[in-house]
Structures are given as C-alpha cells and as structure tokens.
Amino acid sequence: MIKGKVVFTQLLPLMAASVFSSASFAGTKTCTGTVEKVGLHAPDKLMLKLSSMNTPVFICSPEYKWTVAGTSYTTSAETCKMMFSMLMHAKSTQADMGKVWFDGDDVPTDCSSWGSWKRANVRYFTY
C-alpha cells in the first residue's frame, strides 16, 4: 500500500505538468470605447484600435478567411469588408462601440496590454 502511495505521489506532479503543458491559454476579452484607429496594413490586413486599447490589433483580411490560433471563430473576407465599413462609420460618428469581443492566443488579460503586431478574431460587436 505504501509502495502505491509513493508511486502516486511521484506521478502526481508529472500528471499536473502534462495537463498544464498541453492546455491552451487562448484568451477572450471584451474591450470598450470609441474607434480611434482603423487601418489597412499592406498587403491585406485590417487593424483596429479602440480608445481602451494601447495599440492597434490585426482583426481580419478583406482578401481571405481570417483565422487565428487559439479560437475556432473565423471571419470571412466579405464579413471583414462589412466590418471595415461599420468601423469607419463608428469612427466618423464617434459612436461608443459598447463591447467588442476579441478571441485568440494573442489576446491579453487587459485591453491596455496588447502587444505590438498581435492578431485576434473579433467575435461580436454592436453599436
């Protein structure tokens, strides 16, 4: 019996390390505010910066289906074009975006902590 306990106590840290090393740390974050920047980065990526964000983030492509690591959500090229139009309208009218849901491995825990040149999928927004 003691021999079994020794084996179990030795295996427990290994099992925990295995679980944590294979876990995905993808993020989901809602950010708020007004649209400060909408940009097109050559050759084919759209960028967004809300007033609550510290830097613009790549959010889709008007040329191809947008996928990012850490989420199963995708954005079609056609949806990206519609989103660009909506975001430009929101910027020009200074509309409050309410909440914008970002998903993916690059999503930080805080809207003011985005890293440079990061990518996310915009799952949902309304204004």
Side-chain angles (χ1 to χ4, degrees):
M1 188 74 161
I2 292 176
K3 190 175 187 182
K5 283 186 179 181
V6 171
V7 170
F8 179 75
T9 57
Q10 290 173 341
L11 288 177
L12 188 58
L14 293 174
M15 292 180 340
S18 169
V19 168
F20 289 115
S21 67
S22 65
S24 173
F25 293 101
T28 294
K29 185 69 186 165
T30 56
C31 297
T32 60
T34 57
V35 176
E36 284 192 355
K37 293 182 182 182
V38 177
L40 186 63
H41 190 279
D44 54 14
K45 293 181 189 94
L46 188 69
M47 298 181 84
L48 170 65
K49 181 184 181 295
L50 300 175
S51 57
S52 65
M53 298 165 65
N54 60 313
T55 191
V57 175
F58 294 114
I59 59 166
C60 65
S61 171
E63 297 298 319
Y64 56 86
K65 181 178 176 181
W66 182 257
T67 60
V68 297
T71 182
S72 61
Y73 293 107
T74 62
T75 304
S76 71
E78 195 61 33
T79 298
C80 184
K81 292 171 192 171
M82 289 187 289
M83 194 163 39
F84 177 65
S85 177
M86 293 174 75
L87 292 170
M88 288 302 295
H89 182 265
K91 180 171 176 32
S92 68
T93 61
Q94 298 177 341
D96 184 338
M97 290 297 293
K99 292 182 179 179
V100 179
W101 275 258
F102 294 94
D103 295 297
D105 283 349
D106 287 347
V107 176
T109 57
D110 183 80
C111 292
S112 61
S113 300
W114 287 92
S116 297
W117 308 106
K118 296 302 181 178
R119 301 163 44 105
N121 190 76
V122 172
R123 176 173 18 127
Y124 176 82
F125 74 87
T126 183
Y127 69 95

